[in-house]
Amino acid sequence: MPRFLHTADWQMGRSYSRFDTEDGAALVEARFEAIEKLAQLANEHQCDAVLVAGDVFDAQTVSDRTIRRVFNATRGFAGPWVMLPGNHDAALVESVWTRATRLGAVPDNVHLALEPGVITLQSQGLALLCAPLTQRHTYGDLTEAFNGYDTSGGLIRVGLAHGSVQGLLSDDIDATNPIAPDRTDASRLDYLALGDWHGTKQINDRTWYSGTPEPERFRNNEAGFALVVNVTGPGDKPEVTPIATGRFQWHQWRETLAVASDLDQLLQRLDALPEATVLDLRLEGAITLAGEDQLLGALSVAEARFRSIRCDRSGLQLEPTDDDIAELKADGYVGEVISELRSQQEGDRGEPARDALAILAGLLKGRDQEASQ
């Protein structure tokens, strides 16, 4: 009964320039750790092979060091690895794959599917029908060639491809590199292992996208998994089990604060997130000066606890309450300035007015604290 691990879209060499240097380096390292975890899972689940359905590398120009580290990370599983070129690392005449071969970086147990055809793993009971991308974009279905591939009797026929199943994925996925939705039936496949969609997704009983093993974007599409696939025999329905592999959780929150309870709920949700969190937070609405102090304190704690947090507060207006104003002891001219800044937040100078109000409130609080010492 063949059992294999299906993974894809490692995107090794991907950079995270929008993050702080320390955070970006940790996110890069997590992707290498994900490969090591895949090797560990392949051993734990007694898999016969690991199939990588495209985009092992993020670009043809990744460094030699990255190439070597990728293949070094596979050493934890001694069984066969089969790697398919995708749109990011297409099997060009001169490519990241030819460079890896020249470097002598490819271990003997790693099979590179650089040409269309069948890779037979006889002792594992697998016949792998491969449709590598030999250019970044194609407009014909490369898996159509599977129809004419003969395989030895008794072997499980597994298709390995990278592209977009026509008519079944969201509209924003690339329309290039199409794959027919009935490919498993038309080509008599027991299973079709796909890459390109970065989240785990079932197309039908025999067709799955594994998604990327380590999330790298904020889109909520079930990233951070690999698939353990069991097929009892030719023609039998495969048993597919998603296994969590991701280290970091990526969250993108868009929150509107209107009343005090909104802030309380937000802070509770922040506190419930694990340390391995990458959070993009955008706040709108209004907040009191006391609430602003509470929010800034919570964000400061989160910055030290999470892997990364970015908070955009440009759409959040400061609306001091009467108690806020009384606490600031802002009477006379200073009180008039505060009133003017409050009103200016509604106009074109909203963000500068908000910042000025926050600075002024901070100065007034600092003055009172010094006076009390």
Side-chain angles (χ1 to χ4, degrees):
M1 180 178 68
R3 179 186 293 118
F4 55 87
L5 190 71
H6 169 198
T7 179
D9 298 292
W10 294 356
Q11 309 286 151
M12 303 308 296
R14 185 183 184 93
S15 63
Y16 295 90
S17 56
R18 57 179 166 166
F19 293 92
D20 293 339
T21 301
E22 179 183 349
D23 295 334
L27 296 174
V28 168
E29 198 62 29
R31 305 195 75 75
F32 287 102
E33 293 172 359
I35 303 175
E36 295 172 349
K37 185 165 187 177
L38 292 172
Q40 177 185 341
L41 288 173
N43 287 319
E44 289 178 357
H45 292 272
Q46 299 180 329
C47 292
D48 296 297
V50 177
L51 311 184
V52 191
D55 283 358
V56 171
F57 298 99
D58 190 55
Q60 303 285 4
T61 55
V62 299
S63 69
D64 290 355
R65 181 173 185 267
T66 294
I67 292 174
R68 293 185 186 279
R69 288 195 67 192
V70 166
F71 291 108
N72 287 346
T74 68
R75 290 179 178 173
F77 176 65
W81 297 69
V82 180
M83 297 185 179
L84 184 87
N87 59 307
H88 281 257
D89 53 9
L92 309 176
V93 173
E94 177 62 30
S95 70
V96 63
W97 303 105
T98 56
R99 189 150 50 97
T101 301
R102 284 199 303 272
L103 289 170
V106 185
D108 292 339
N109 64 321
V110 175
H111 303 263
L112 304 183
L114 303 184
E115 297 180 356
V118 180
I119 293 177
T120 300
L121 302 178
Q122 191 71 42
S123 61
Q124 287 79 20
L126 294 170
L128 307 176
L129 288 66
C130 303
L133 288 175
T134 56
Q135 57 190 46
R136 186 173 178 87
H137 298 304
T138 63
Y139 296 91
D141 183 356
L142 299 181
T143 65
E144 186 174 356
F146 293 173
N147 295 355
Y149 291 168
D150 293 326
T151 56
S152 301
L155 296 183
I156 302 299
R157 284 171 63 93
V158 177
L160 193 60
H162 190 88
S164 173
V165 176
Q166 295 174 298
L168 295 180
L169 296 180
S170 62
D171 293 338
D172 59 353
I173 195 169
D174 292 340
T176 54
N177 309 323
I179 296 172
D182 63 347
R183 178 54 55 212
T184 53
D185 290 339
S187 299
R188 311 177 312 283
L189 299 177
D190 295 298
Y191 183 81
L192 178 55
L194 296 179
D196 196 29
W197 182 251
H198 282 211
T200 301
K201 189 175 184 66
Q202 180 181 8
I203 301 302
N204 55 47
D205 287 344
R206 300 180 184 276
T207 306
W208 285 72
Y209 285 92
S210 66
T212 180
E214 179 63 34
E216 87 293 358
R217 61 183 69 172
F218 291 106
R219 179 182 296 168
N220 183 19
N221 62 352
E222 301 299 325
F225 291 87
L227 303 177
V228 173
V229 183
N230 288 283
V231 187
T232 56
D236 293 339
K237 178 181 174 181
E239 176 188 332
V240 183
T241 305
I243 306 292
T245 55
R247 176 181 175 186
F248 292 113
Q249 296 182 14
W250 292 55
H251 300 277
Q252 189 173 58
W253 293 356
R254 300 294 181 258
E255 306 292 332
T256 299
L257 304 181
V259 294
S261 60
D262 292 337
L263 178 60
D264 292 338
Q265 292 174 12
L266 172 63
L267 299 187
Q268 289 175 8
R269 291 175 62 200
L270 275 176
D271 190 56
L273 289 174
E275 293 183 4
T277 289
V278 179
L279 177 62
D280 176 44
L281 176 62
R282 181 185 300 165
L283 298 177
E284 297 180 346
I287 192 170
T288 67
L289 289 179
E292 172 89 341
D293 284 345
Q294 190 179 5
L295 173 63
L296 292 179
L299 291 176
S300 178
V301 171
E303 286 174 354
R305 191 166 69 88
F306 296 162
R307 177 67 273 168
S308 174
I309 179 172
R310 291 191 170 191
C311 182
D312 180 358
R313 297 184 294 122
S314 61
L316 188 63
Q317 294 187 6
L318 277 178
E319 292 189 355
T321 63
D322 292 340
D323 290 340
D324 289 331
I325 300 300
E327 185 178 346
L328 293 175
K329 301 179 177 62
D331 51 8
Y333 175 71
V334 175
E336 293 177 5
V337 171
I338 290 177
S339 178
E340 178 63 22
L341 290 174
R342 292 172 68 182
S343 64
Q344 284 190 14
Q345 288 185 98
E346 301 290 343
D348 295 337
R349 295 179 54 79
E351 188 173 350
R354 180 198 181 285
D355 293 341
L357 182 55
I359 292 170
L360 179 57
L363 291 172
L364 292 174
K365 289 179 182 178
R367 176 202 63 186
D368 293 342
Q369 290 173 357
E370 290 179 0
S372 63
Q373 292 177 352

